[in-house]
Amino acid sequence: MLRPKIPTMPSPTGLITPPTVVEPTTVVQHDPTPARAPTASTRPTIQLTPGTALALVGAGTAVVLVVGAVLVSMLLAVAVTGASVAVCAVVIRSLISSQHRR
């Protein structure tokens, strides 16, 4: 009943073609194309002035503070929810146990 059935390899059906023989081809080497000379980049370079650096530091600090506040508020929400569920469980348990005493 619980013995596994081992599948048998089916015999091939249809026409069986013999493997084809691949003849080696000759390799023709072409003259290499001359390499292009490197061109100057057309992108403008970024000038980092002290004012720009201060703005970047301020923006980074603001992002870190906002993300931290969001994470702390989420943690606080989970903690408050857990505490309220625990209080509800204690109240329900006391109500159930007081019914059994009567």
Side-chain angles (χ1 to χ4, degrees), residues 46-63:
I46 298 175
Q47 302 277 332
L48 194 60
T49 62
T52 309
L54 189 62
L56 286 175
V57 168
T61 304
V63 167

Side-chain angles (χ1 to χ4, degrees), residues 7-74:
T8 58
M9 187 69 170
S11 59
T13 58
L15 297 175
I16 300 173
T17 58
T20 58
V21 178
V22 177
E23 296 285 331
T25 58
T26 59
V27 177
V28 179
Q29 291 186 357
H30 297 285
D31 291 333
T33 58
R36 295 182 184 179
T39 59
S41 176
T42 58
R43 291 186 288 171
T45 58
I46 298 175
Q47 302 277 332
L48 194 60
T49 62
T52 309
L54 189 62
L56 286 175
V57 168
T61 304
V63 167
V64 167
L65 289 176
V66 168
V67 169
V70 168
L71 291 178
V72 167
S73 65
M74 289 173 63

Side-chain angles (χ1 to χ4, degrees), residues 61-101:
T61 304
V63 167
V64 167
L65 289 176
V66 168
V67 169
V70 168
L71 291 178
V72 167
S73 65
M74 289 173 63
L75 180 65
L76 184 62
V78 169
V80 168
T81 304
S84 65
V85 167
V87 168
C88 289
V90 168
V91 169
I92 291 173
R93 183 177 175 189
S94 70
L95 289 174
I96 291 175
S97 67
S98 68
Q99 286 181 348
H100 286 292
R101 290 182 188 166

